[in-house]
Amino acid sequence: MKAKKVFESMTPYKPGKQIEEVKKEYGLDRIVKLASNENPFGYSKKVDEVIQHAAKSFEIYPDGYATDLRQLLSDALSVLPDQLVFGCGSDEIIDMICRTYLEEGSNTIMATPTFPQYKHNAMIQGADIKEIPLINGYHDLQGMLDAVDENTNVVWLCTPNNPTGCMINDQSLKLFMDKCPEDVLVVLDEAYYEYISSHEAPDALELLKTYNNLIVLRTFSKAYGIAGLRVGYGISNLEISEALNIARGPFNTTDVGQKAAIAAFKDQEFLEQTRKETLNNKIDMINFCDEMELGYFDSETNFLFIKLPVSGDLLFNYLLSKGFIVRSGVALGFPNGVRLTIGAKEDMQELQTHMRNFLNEHAKETEV
């Protein structure tokens, strides 16, 4: 069996620690998972209502066109229905883009570190990868422009960026798009769009009217809280969306997922409450970091990357023993730090207590 040669240098995606795994390993009854940027407040209760009705016809193929969800988003976002492309999470749309626009002899440009699936899927297609280091957590947009050549097909902009949370502002994005060649596809991955509170945020959908080489990705996995049902979408001009829909599998989003996404999107009250509580709890976490003299990246997301005086693995393992799962920066390109999802207020306060104890113990060891 001869797989592509590139697979010899690649490994499967390895998810973080799972709740039941940690319970068993440490003999704990309660686990707080703050590692995957999921919504700690769950999802709209209206989702449960529609799932009860949708979960009765699994023998029937779903609507491959996602008609109802497509029309809802078309109306809400003021775009044509066929400008939308749906995926099994925005992860699948990233894969579609790579399969459609990348091949051997082409190259693609991305920040480092950023969301790893850009590189993963591009490598499978045989494209050359150009990684441009972040500057203080932000995309080096000029550096990315300087890397563009005649073989560049796709540029990835994750904003706000994962794992740093830093956002590309409106002015910077427009300058970038003005200078980027029109035949290079720019992917604006806005997985954390709903959490943005900055007044300098770009209006990506408005930019679609000016730049034909732009696609915007969004998801129902983060703020809407239905990560387990896997629904994401992209918005672009018709030429791009048509090409991606050719690459898309015919039944790639389930009927349950589509109906759940509709219910989740309609419940803007839940979304607003999620945003409000997340922002308040993030501000409280930032104040804690300031008190403990810990650095952190600017974040327009539901997570915060905290810089540490020690390896992120040390704090990760310590918190794991206390029943908190976070993400060590060792696996994210910033070894001395951790990325943690902003959770419920009580959980975040308990987390701060554990972090304070850990840091105080480390300070004593350093003095000795």
Side-chain angles (χ1 to χ4, degrees):
M1 305 294 289
K2 297 181 180 179
K4 293 179 178 179
K5 191 171 181 60
V6 70
F7 279 78
E8 297 174 5
S9 61
M10 299 177 70
T11 57
Y13 174 77
K14 185 177 180 181
K17 288 274 189 178
Q18 300 300 300
I19 290 175
E20 293 305 317
E21 177 187 359
V22 176
K23 281 184 178 179
K24 184 177 180 181
E25 183 177 351
Y26 290 91
L28 299 168
D29 296 323
R30 176 177 176 269
I31 300 296
V32 179
K33 186 184 177 189
L34 302 174
S36 301
N37 307 332
E38 296 147 332
N39 190 337
F41 309 111
Y43 54 85
S44 167
K45 298 307 177 188
K46 295 179 180 179
V47 170
D48 286 332
E49 297 172 12
V50 300
I51 284 182
Q52 290 177 5
H53 296 287
K56 296 179 180 178
S57 55
F58 290 147
E59 77 281 6
I60 305 297
Y61 282 111
D63 174 7
Y65 188 65
T67 304
D68 293 340
L69 178 58
R70 184 180 297 273
Q71 192 60 56
L72 174 68
L73 292 180
S74 170
D75 293 340
L77 304 178
S78 298
V79 297
L80 297 173
D82 285 338
Q83 286 184 258
L84 292 157
V85 56
F86 293 95
C88 180
S90 51
D91 288 358
E92 188 189 19
I93 304 176
I94 291 167
D95 179 45
M96 290 181 208
I97 290 169
C98 290
R99 287 189 284 118
T100 303
Y101 292 98
L102 296 176
E103 60 189 347
E104 291 186 13
S106 68
N107 69 62
T108 183
I109 299 170
M110 63 198 69
T112 183
T114 192
F115 187 53
Q117 291 305 105
Y118 311 146
K119 181 177 181 179
H120 181 90
N121 287 297
M123 288 179 66
I124 291 175
Q125 300 308 320
D128 294 325
I129 313 297
K130 294 186 177 184
E131 296 180 284
I132 310 301
L134 299 171
I135 299 177
N136 297 324
Y138 287 88
H139 283 67
D140 177 5
L141 295 177
Q142 186 57 54
M144 298 179 84
L145 285 171
D146 292 342
V148 173
D149 62 26
E150 65 276 8
N151 295 318
T152 302
N153 285 8
V154 181
V155 175
W156 306 87
L157 301 178
C158 183
T159 180
N161 186 51
N162 181 6
T164 61
C166 299
M167 180 196 75
I168 300 171
N169 66 38
D170 180 64
Q171 182 179 7
S172 298
L173 181 57
K174 287 177 179 176
L175 287 173
F176 179 88
M177 293 303 302
D178 285 340
K179 296 178 181 179
C180 187
E182 294 180 0
D183 62 346
V184 173
L185 178 64
V186 177
V187 183
L188 195 69
D189 188 348
E190 293 190 323
Y192 299 92
Y193 165 76
E194 289 80 10
Y195 289 109
I196 296 173
S197 59
S198 171
H199 66 279
E200 296 182 351
D203 184 343
L205 300 187
E206 189 65 27
L207 295 181
L208 287 173
K209 299 174 183 177
T210 303
Y211 304 103
N212 289 325
N213 58 329
L214 179 66
I215 181 170
V216 179
L217 306 187
R218 293 181 182 172
T219 182
F220 285 92
S221 296
K222 303 302 181 185
Y224 287 104
I226 55 171
L229 293 174
R230 313 307 300 127
V231 182
Y233 60 99
I235 317 111
S236 67
N237 70 43
L238 294 175
E239 180 182 353
I240 294 170
S241 61
E242 182 176 358
L244 295 178
N245 275 312
I246 292 172
R248 179 180 61 82
F251 305 109
N252 63 327
T253 57
T254 66
D255 184 62
V256 172
Q258 292 174 32
K259 286 183 169 56
I262 290 170
F265 190 83
K266 286 182 176 179
D267 193 352
Q268 290 296 308
E269 183 178 346
F270 170 81
L271 183 67
E272 186 56 37
Q273 187 63 30
T274 284
R275 277 196 294 243
K276 181 180 178 180
E277 291 192 46
T278 299
L279 181 58
N280 288 339
N281 295 345
K282 181 168 64 176
I283 290 172
D284 186 63
M285 192 68 201
I286 287 173
N287 291 336
F288 167 79
C289 291
D290 290 339
E291 175 195 340
M292 301 301 296
E293 298 182 346
L294 297 173
Y296 46 86
F297 289 116
D298 298 331
S299 175
E300 288 291 334
T301 64
N302 68 331
F303 63 81
L304 189 66
F305 191 98
I306 300 173
K307 303 172 186 178
L308 300 170
V310 297
S311 167
D313 280 353
L314 293 178
L315 179 58
F316 166 80
N317 287 318
Y318 178 86
L319 292 176
L320 207 58
S321 70
K322 306 298 181 183
F324 282 79
I325 310 174
V326 299
R327 195 70 187 269
S328 170
V330 171
L332 300 174
F334 294 106
N336 282 25
V338 293
R339 187 194 69 191
L340 53 91
T341 307
I342 303 301
K345 183 176 182 179
E346 297 77 12
D347 293 335
M348 298 305 291
Q349 290 175 341
E350 183 181 346
L351 174 71
Q352 290 173 23
T353 298
H354 292 313
M355 288 183 64
R356 181 180 283 107
N357 292 338
F358 170 84
L359 292 165
N360 288 339
E361 289 175 17
H362 171 72
K364 292 177 182 178
E365 293 174 0
T366 303
E367 290 174 3
V368 174

